[in-house]
């Protein structure tokens, strides 16, 4: 929906799925895409495996995927235009 700003009409920006991920979710998603298990991710980030599992569910929903196998491709495509969050794999 357009909004008025200083007399001009500006289209409201819609966030991409990657931009909807929090910083913690991006970190967890990248570790999972690299092949780390929930337990390994939890140990690295000082979280419980259950917390990592919860984050993974949120990540899958935001990226529109249902499995870890699709995670790397979804992240690569989704983060391609987001230079601030994109890093080396």
């Amino acid at each position: 929906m357009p909004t008025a700003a200083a007399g001009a009409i500006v289209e409201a920006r819609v966030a991409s799925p990657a931009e909807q991920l929090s910083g913690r979710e991006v970190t967890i998603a990248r570790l999972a895409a690299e092949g780390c298990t929930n337990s390994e991710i939890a140990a690295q980030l000082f979280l419980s495996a259950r917390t990592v599992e919860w984050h993974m569910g949120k990540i899958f929903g935001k990226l529109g995927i249902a499995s870890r196998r699709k995670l790397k491709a979804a992240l690569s495509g989704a983060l391609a235009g987001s230079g601030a969050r994109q890093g080396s794999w």
Side-chain angles (χ1 to χ4, degrees):
M1 168 178 276
T3 58
I9 294 180
V10 179
E11 290 292 325
R13 189 174 173 284
V14 177
S16 72
E19 292 172 329
Q20 294 176 19
L21 295 179
S22 70
R24 177 66 68 165
E25 289 169 342
V26 169
T27 301
I28 290 171
R30 284 185 172 159
L31 290 170
E34 291 171 1
C36 294
T37 65
N38 287 359
S39 296
E40 292 168 340
I41 295 167
Q44 287 185 43
L45 301 178
F46 303 101
L47 301 171
S48 72
R50 178 66 183 105
T51 299
V52 172
E53 182 181 335
W54 181 82
H55 280 294
M56 290 299 293
K58 300 292 274 183
I59 292 164
F60 286 172
K62 289 178 180 180
L63 294 178
I65 60 173
S67 73
R68 285 177 180 248
R69 282 181 268 165
K70 297 183 180 188
L71 189 57
K72 192 167 188 173
L75 279 177
S76 295
L79 294 177
S82 175
R85 290 188 177 169
Q86 189 173 5
S88 61
W89 286 68

